[in-house]
Amino acid sequence: MSSIFDDLNERQIEAVTHFEGPLLVIAGAGSGKTKALTNRIAYLIIEKGINPWNILAVTFTNKAAKEMKIRVLKLLGNKEVLSANGGFYEDNTIPTVGTFHSICVRILRKYIHLLGYENEFVIYDDTDQQILMKHILEDMMLDPKKMVPRAILGSISNAKNQLLGPKEFASYAHDFFSEKVAEIYPRYQKALIKGNALDFDDIIMKTVELFQTHPEVLEVYREKFKFISVDEYQDTNKAQYLLVKMLAEKYRNLCVIGDADQSIYSWRGATIQNILDFEKDYPDARVVTLEQNYRSTQLI
């Protein structure tokens, strides 16, 4: 088994060995933040005896999630447990590692019937959304050259990332385009419900709605995920921020890693304010800065 502390510098060890309570890790490019995050998960399990079942690690891409899981498994001395489709088998002996959307889909598959959907819902991709939007525009006799489906869907996507449903969005409408979107949005949402479908942005929004309207379900996941880590925290939007905040509220064992200078998802509603305000949300947070760059050449 690889040692948890192999090749870690002093700051990384400080982040890895932080146990209970909120932790903010400010990590620049190439500073070994993924290593710190994965080694911290291994530390919690091996040194602190935390049940892997109680650990959640969230990142933004499937590729990053897979790499993180493989690293953790190696540190724990496990062989990779790969299924035929390239994913991982569910196993209570390993932590839950995934993207916001993959984790929320897993939750909704069990509980979305509480919101009036069937648990075997479908997820619409960009093409499905475009086709649906074109049908809605035809029914409303709106010209798709003036009301471009992609632009409408982008506006609805931004609204959902800010947790604005059709009614809330309508109150913000302020010009011709947004007023038209306010008319289209409820029709679009009704059509999704009729098809027992979610779009990509519904996945997190509906999970937040589920937790808000069914606190008993939220309690299940608060008890399950007692230790939470979020990578690239600077790229979280309002929906993701609130989801994490709700899950971590009971035990407050939340570790977030990011760098305000590296935010790349502002077009998807991400706000660096989430990472800048972390210490306001958690005044007792420990802050660790990873400054040593392992990726760049010596000249840089």
Side-chain angles (χ1 to χ4, degrees), residues 241-257:
Y241 162 81
L242 187 57
L243 179 76
V244 170
K245 192 168 187 286
M246 292 171 80
L247 283 171
E249 200 162 15
K250 184 172 185 177
Y251 289 101
R252 304 180 78 256
N253 296 321
L254 174 62
C255 166
V256 303
I257 299 181

Side-chain angles (χ1 to χ4, degrees), residues 45 50-55 69 73 76 78 81 88-96 106 110 224-225:
I45 296 167
I50 301 302
N51 189 330
W53 169 264
N54 294 134
I55 296 173
K69 200 159 196 175
L73 290 173
L76 296 177
N78 293 13
V81 189
F88 289 88
Y89 287 116
E90 290 305 304
D91 184 345
N92 291 346
T93 65
I94 57 178
T96 300
R106 209 177 299 174
K110 288 186 178 181
K224 176 174 169 59
F225 299 134

Side-chain angles (χ1 to χ4, degrees), residues 20-240:
E20 294 178 316
L23 170 67
L24 169 61
V25 180
I26 303 295
S31 60
K33 64 183 180 66
T34 304
K35 187 178 181 69
L37 194 156
T38 52
N39 286 40
R40 181 171 182 271
I41 292 170
Y43 173 81
L44 290 173
I45 296 167
I46 296 168
E47 300 293 332
K48 291 297 182 181
I50 301 302
N51 189 330
W53 169 264
N54 294 134
I55 296 173
L56 169 67
V58 188
T59 189
F60 273 83
T61 66
N62 290 321
K63 182 181 177 182
K66 185 174 180 179
E67 180 189 346
M68 194 183 298
K69 200 159 196 175
I70 289 170
R71 286 196 193 192
V72 171
L73 290 173
K74 285 180 179 177
L75 285 165
L76 296 177
N78 293 13
K79 293 181 179 178
E80 295 172 31
V81 189
L82 293 174
S83 66
N85 64 4
F88 289 88
Y89 287 116
E90 290 305 304
D91 184 345
N92 291 346
T93 65
I94 57 178
T96 300
V97 182
T99 63
F100 278 100
H101 290 90
S102 68
I103 289 158
C104 287
V105 166
R106 209 177 299 174
I107 293 168
L108 293 173
R109 290 286 181 210
K110 288 186 178 181
Y111 293 105
I112 200 171
H113 61 277
L114 298 173
L115 299 179
Y117 291 78
E118 293 176 19
N119 288 348
E120 294 304 312
F121 57 86
V122 295
I123 299 170
Y124 277 11
D125 61 17
D126 289 343
T127 303
D128 297 323
Q129 290 176 265
Q130 294 261 357
I131 292 168
L132 176 58
M133 186 55 68
K134 285 174 184 174
H135 287 317
I136 291 169
L137 293 178
E138 284 175 13
D139 290 344
M140 296 177 72
M141 292 185 289
L142 292 172
D143 185 352
K145 291 180 181 177
K146 292 180 180 177
M147 292 298 296
V148 180
R150 188 174 293 279
I152 298 166
L153 289 166
S155 186
I156 292 172
S157 173
N158 289 336
K160 289 183 177 183
N161 287 330
Q162 298 302 314
L163 297 176
L164 298 175
K167 288 181 182 177
E168 293 83 5
F169 180 85
S171 66
Y172 285 95
H174 61 283
D175 57 21
F176 175 81
F177 179 76
S178 58
E179 286 171 1
K180 283 296 176 188
V181 173
E183 292 177 31
I184 295 165
Y185 187 180
R187 293 173 182 243
Y188 171 73
Q189 208 57 30
K190 283 179 185 175
L192 286 173
I193 294 168
K194 186 178 179 182
N196 197 45
L198 303 181
D199 65 19
F200 192 68
D201 303 296
D202 276 327
I203 292 168
I204 296 176
M205 188 178 185
K206 289 296 175 185
T207 307
V208 170
E209 182 185 338
L210 175 69
F211 286 167
Q212 288 173 330
T213 56
H214 294 275
E216 73 282 5
V217 178
L218 174 58
E219 183 63 17
V220 168
Y221 287 96
R222 280 178 173 170
E223 283 298 320
K224 176 174 169 59
F225 299 134
K226 294 179 180 178
F227 287 83
I228 301 171
S229 298
V230 183
D231 195 13
E232 308 291 3
Y233 192 67
Q234 77 279 352
D235 287 325
T236 52
N237 57 36
K238 183 176 179 179
Q240 292 160 336

